[in-house]
Amino acid sequence: MNDSGTRQVALYDTTLREGGQAPGVNLDAQAKVRLARALVATGAYAIEAGYPMTSPGEFEAVHAVAGEVGDSVIVAALARANRIDVTRANAALAGAARPRITVFVQVSEIQARAAGLTLDQMAQRARESVARARDLVADVQLSLGDVPRARPGFVAELARAGAEAGAGTISLVDSAGVATPEEIGRAVSGVREALAGLPTAVSVHCHDDLGLATANAFAAVLAGADQVECSVNGVGERAGNTALEEIAVLLRVKGPAHGVDCAVHPADLAPASAVVEQATGYSVSWNKAVVGRHAFVHSAGVHQDAVLADDSSYGALGSVFGAAPGLALGKHTSLAGLRAALAASGAAPTTRELADAYRRLKELADAGRSPLTLADLLPAADSGRSGR
């Protein structure tokens, strides 16, 4: 809780680990350090730097991040539930001011079979690995994989056992991205009940295979989750993960009505998105929520007239970012929208020039010209900034 009584939700960023697993992405130590700096600037609570057992290069990358970020953020390393992985994760985190070892284990029968283990064997490995990790670092997270397809009773029992073994956070993972908000909310509620009386945080890690990762994360928060695992631009395995920028803004806009918020800085989300886009090669769509270049640009004349009168009419997120609404030029542009665009450029056309420019706009747009510039519409605009 903060001073206002609002519950602060921690955002655990996994861009470096999940993003590094996205097909075709290969983040070396230099790229991970550059990304880590951008993530620290957003105000994320924790950064999952990687999975040290993957390769010597991955180990060095995690180690580089651990020594880079200081005490401003938790640095986590992922480990399977075995002694070798846990030991390797701890070594990679040497130098981290606030290290966390995140131990993961599968809890559904389908994934346990795929690993060649029984659920009882998975549970035993989880308990032993958490205890081992807790001997090495003060902050341990136990991630339970494929929770939506697991037996709720088994999940609850293992969550309680993991907490009693020393895990300060229990993460519920929708590994296959098949859950709905209702199912995620129910899973969180069940684990919260199982952890009653223990000072253990509950986290969620949602994949976006059904396009529900952000909705699922928010439902989890409303059900009592303390932490959301997410990545910038939603980059990650297959269809990706909960997008940090989306859940951060959702918590900022809708959270207060439910007594929740997060500490991420909205103004630093777009710069972080650009760094991730460059490092991964995964382009952000122009209409991507929050960070797309057209996310706050209005095209329809009805919308333009409304936001010029009151930017909250359609630009509901403007107050969060402190940004003026953008106005696109096209066949749907209103006269007021064109006038505002010209004024913003420094041009001051006469009434006749404005009417001619508006007619030219419609003609060029109907002919398929795109993009349209002010020079196309007001030929004298480049030399007509004198304020006639």
Side-chain angles (χ1 to χ4, degrees):
M1 293 283 183
N2 59 17
D3 292 340
S4 66
T6 301
R7 179 166 62 92
Q8 290 292 299
V9 177
L11 297 189
Y12 174 112
D13 185 275
T14 185
T15 304
L16 303 187
R17 201 271 299 172
E18 275 277 2
Q21 291 178 202
V25 175
N26 184 21
L27 302 176
D28 60 16
Q30 184 178 12
K32 287 204 176 192
V33 167
R34 185 169 67 253
L35 288 168
R37 291 175 183 146
L39 294 172
V40 169
T42 68
Y45 175 75
I47 295 174
E48 189 173 59
Y51 180 13
M53 277 299 295
T54 300
S55 70
E58 181 75 351
F59 177 94
E60 291 303 327
V62 173
H63 185 64
V65 171
E68 171 67 26
V69 300
D71 63 358
S72 59
V73 64
I74 292 168
V75 178
L78 190 68
R80 290 170 298 183
N82 64 59
R83 175 176 287 270
I84 295 174
D85 272 34
V86 170
T87 302
R88 189 70 168 164
N90 180 62
L93 291 171
R98 300 169 63 192
R100 173 182 292 185
I101 296 176
T102 295
V103 174
F104 76 92
V105 65
Q106 305 303 333
V107 296
S108 70
E109 292 183 356
I110 186 171
Q111 291 205 357
R113 284 198 305 270
L117 297 169
T118 66
L119 290 179
D120 286 342
Q121 289 172 322
M122 285 287 191
Q124 181 65 22
R125 289 190 176 200
R127 289 190 292 269
E128 291 175 352
S129 297
V130 167
R132 167 64 177 164
R134 187 63 182 80
D135 286 340
L136 300 173
V137 297
D139 188 353
V140 176
Q141 174 170 310
L142 174 61
S143 289
L144 307 180
D146 208 25
V147 164
R149 297 192 294 180
R151 289 188 285 108
F154 179 72
V155 172
E157 290 172 9
L158 187 50
R160 179 82 187 190
E164 291 174 344
T169 303
I170 302 295
S171 175
L172 310 183
V173 184
D174 181 13
S175 306
V178 296
T180 64
E182 180 184 19
E183 290 166 341
I184 286 291
R186 190 161 55 240
V188 170
S189 296
V191 169
R192 285 238 68 98
E193 183 177 347
L195 295 174
L198 296 176
T200 311
V202 175
S203 180
V204 290
H205 181 117
C206 302
H207 282 262
D208 203 34
D209 298 69
L210 292 178
L212 293 172
T214 299
N216 285 345
F218 191 61
V221 169
L222 298 187
D226 307 288
Q227 176 181 279
V228 171
E229 296 164 38
C230 47
S231 61
V232 174
N233 299 340
V235 65
E237 285 273 3
R238 305 184 313 277
N241 297 77
T242 301
L244 180 143
E245 63 277 5
E246 293 176 9
I247 190 63
V249 173
L250 181 54
L251 287 169
R252 184 61 54 85
V253 174
K254 294 294 187 179
H258 302 279
V260 295
D261 198 354
C262 69
V264 166
H265 314 137
D268 291 307
L269 294 173
S273 170
V275 174
V276 171
E277 184 177 25
Q278 188 278 329
T280 62
Y282 274 40
S283 299
V284 173
S285 65
W286 288 13
N287 64 337
K288 169 72 174 65
V290 180
V291 295
R293 69 176 67 181
H294 285 171
F296 303 106
V297 175
H298 304 271
S299 179
V302 172
H303 290 217
Q304 291 180 347
D305 289 350
V307 297
L308 287 170
D310 180 353
D311 63 8
S312 67
S313 57
Y314 284 95
L317 299 182
S319 61
V320 176
F321 291 88
L327 303 173
L329 296 177
K331 68 167 59 181
H332 303 291
T333 301
S334 68
L335 182 61
L338 176 59
R339 183 188 298 112
L342 290 168
S345 74
T350 64
T351 301
R352 174 69 177 273
E353 288 171 334
L354 179 62
D356 288 344
Y358 192 59
R359 174 183 52 78
R360 192 174 296 112
L361 168 68
K362 299 295 183 177
E363 291 174 350
L364 291 174
D366 280 340
R369 174 81 72 85
S370 180
L372 291 170
T373 68
L374 294 178
D376 295 325
L377 310 179
L378 194 66
D382 289 337
S383 59
R385 300 175 185 271
S386 58
R388 292 173 297 170

